[in-house]
Amino acid sequence: MKILNWRVGLGVVLLLLSVAFYFLHYLVFHDSHHIFIYLVGDVAFVFVEVLLVTLVIHHLLNEWEKKSKLKKLNMVIETFFSEFGKPLLAYLSKADRDLSTVRTAVVMSCDCEPDFKRAGSAVSAYNGNIDLDKIRLDQLETFLRAKRGFLVNLLQNPNLLEHETFTESLMAIFHITEELAARDLSNLSEDDRRHTKRDLERAYGLLIRQWVSYMQYTHRHYPYFFLFAMNTNPFDAEASWLERWSGKVHEAAPAMG
């Protein structure tokens, strides 16, 4: 309310000053015709000025700001996948019974134009079919807890507020971490196993969709990053450099071996 009163007061003062100077002009030159010509012209130009400022300049500034935020956000996403996302996707994909149904869509060739529309459609509702017998839940829980600080730092990044799907992926991973930490993983009931399987598949599906979206951005803006990403594709068992990359994963998180 105080801010509104201050603005109203300033507006009144400025309006009175304008009237005073027009009156002074009339006292000096005695030419009301000249005053009204310029007054009407100035008022008419206000509408053009509003058009230029609000519809053109403001729009251009907003577009520039969006591009700047998108670039910063994708730098964060690149860090996420390099440090955490690709190892987790590679680990879970090995336990995915249904991966073959989407593998051809997400394993893209660098020799031809990738079909991101097909890839996006293939994974739009895909959550996989995780075989818990192929997952060492105790080792997975150790890996997730070791990366907890890294994930917390990501969530503190203000740019993530512009990307709801990525934030949702992080929250799904946090949920799995909490669930695994709260359970006796050596003696899970059937209900707990089903619940854990659903949690893993939800996070897995979100990560896959985020990965495809990020690959599309990378291909468009940073083709050399895209080349490396395809050479270390977490869904391609025959990707070059994959053994070397997997070795680094095991060095960073030997418990997941």
Side-chain angles (χ1 to χ4, degrees):
M1 190 57 126
K2 290 182 179 180
I3 295 177
L4 180 60
N5 291 337
W6 175 79
R7 289 178 176 174
V8 171
L10 178 61
V12 171
V13 170
L14 293 176
L15 185 60
L16 291 175
L17 286 173
S18 180
V19 171
F21 274 88
Y22 275 122
F23 183 66
L24 178 62
H25 184 281
Y26 178 76
L27 291 178
V28 174
F29 298 103
H30 300 285
D31 188 357
S32 59
H33 177 73
H34 182 272
I35 291 175
F36 281 104
I37 287 177
Y38 280 93
L39 177 61
V40 173
D42 290 342
V43 171
F45 183 73
V46 167
F47 300 106
V48 177
E49 187 175 20
V50 169
L51 173 67
L52 290 174
V53 172
T54 59
L55 299 184
V56 179
I57 298 177
H58 185 66
H59 175 73
L60 292 175
L61 289 176
N62 277 345
E63 286 298 315
W64 179 84
E65 186 178 5
K66 286 180 181 179
K67 289 180 180 180
S68 178
K69 285 184 178 180
L70 183 62
K71 183 176 181 179
K72 292 177 181 178
L73 176 59
N74 279 281
M75 289 174 63
V76 173
I77 295 176
E78 165 62 26
T79 303
F80 166 78
F81 277 112
S82 297
E83 179 72 19
F84 181 85
K86 284 204 293 187
L88 184 59
L89 278 175
Y91 187 68
L92 294 178
S93 66
K94 290 179 181 179
D96 182 6
R97 295 189 184 100
D98 297 340
L99 181 61
S100 59
T101 62
V102 298
R103 190 192 296 273
T104 55
V106 295
V107 176
M108 307 167 196
S109 173
C110 297
D111 299 327
C112 58
E113 188 68 18
D115 190 348
F116 288 107
K117 184 177 181 180
R118 173 176 173 246
S121 177
V123 303
S124 61
Y126 183 77
N127 288 331
N129 182 13
I130 301 296
D131 183 357
L132 278 189
D133 292 331
K134 295 182 179 181
I135 299 289
R136 288 287 305 273
L137 293 177
D138 55 337
Q139 295 178 350
L140 178 60
E141 191 261 339
T142 300
F143 173 76
L144 292 176
R145 278 195 294 108
K147 299 296 184 181
R148 185 182 178 88
F150 171 73
L151 295 178
V152 169
N153 287 335
L154 287 183
L155 283 175
Q156 292 175 345
N157 191 310
N159 291 312
L160 288 186
L161 297 175
E162 303 292 327
H163 205 305
E164 293 181 5
T165 56
F166 184 54
T167 303
E168 187 179 357
S169 301
L170 294 182
M171 294 307 298
I173 294 170
F174 269 113
H175 177 70
I176 292 173
T177 305
E178 295 298 322
E179 287 280 350
L180 295 179
R183 300 182 187 279
D184 180 3
L185 300 178
S186 63
N187 187 29
L188 286 178
S189 67
E190 282 304 311
D191 285 343
D192 287 342
R193 284 177 63 85
R194 283 193 292 270
H195 184 83
T196 300
K197 174 179 165 67
R198 285 196 301 269
D199 287 342
L200 284 174
E201 288 173 352
R202 180 172 62 252
Y204 178 58
L206 288 168
L207 281 177
I208 292 175
R209 289 186 281 279
Q210 185 59 61
W211 185 82
V212 170
S213 176
Y214 176 65
M215 286 300 98
Q216 184 173 9
Y217 175 86
T218 302
H219 178 262
R220 183 182 305 140
H221 298 280
Y222 303 102
Y224 47 94
F225 279 0
F226 179 76
L227 176 63
F228 176 77
M230 291 301 99
N231 285 330
T232 57
N233 191 319
F235 304 103
D236 185 2
E238 299 179 357
S240 60
W241 301 354
L242 190 59
E243 288 302 320
R244 189 189 313 173
W245 175 66
S246 298
K248 291 182 180 180
V249 173
H250 291 302
E251 289 174 11
M256 287 188 67

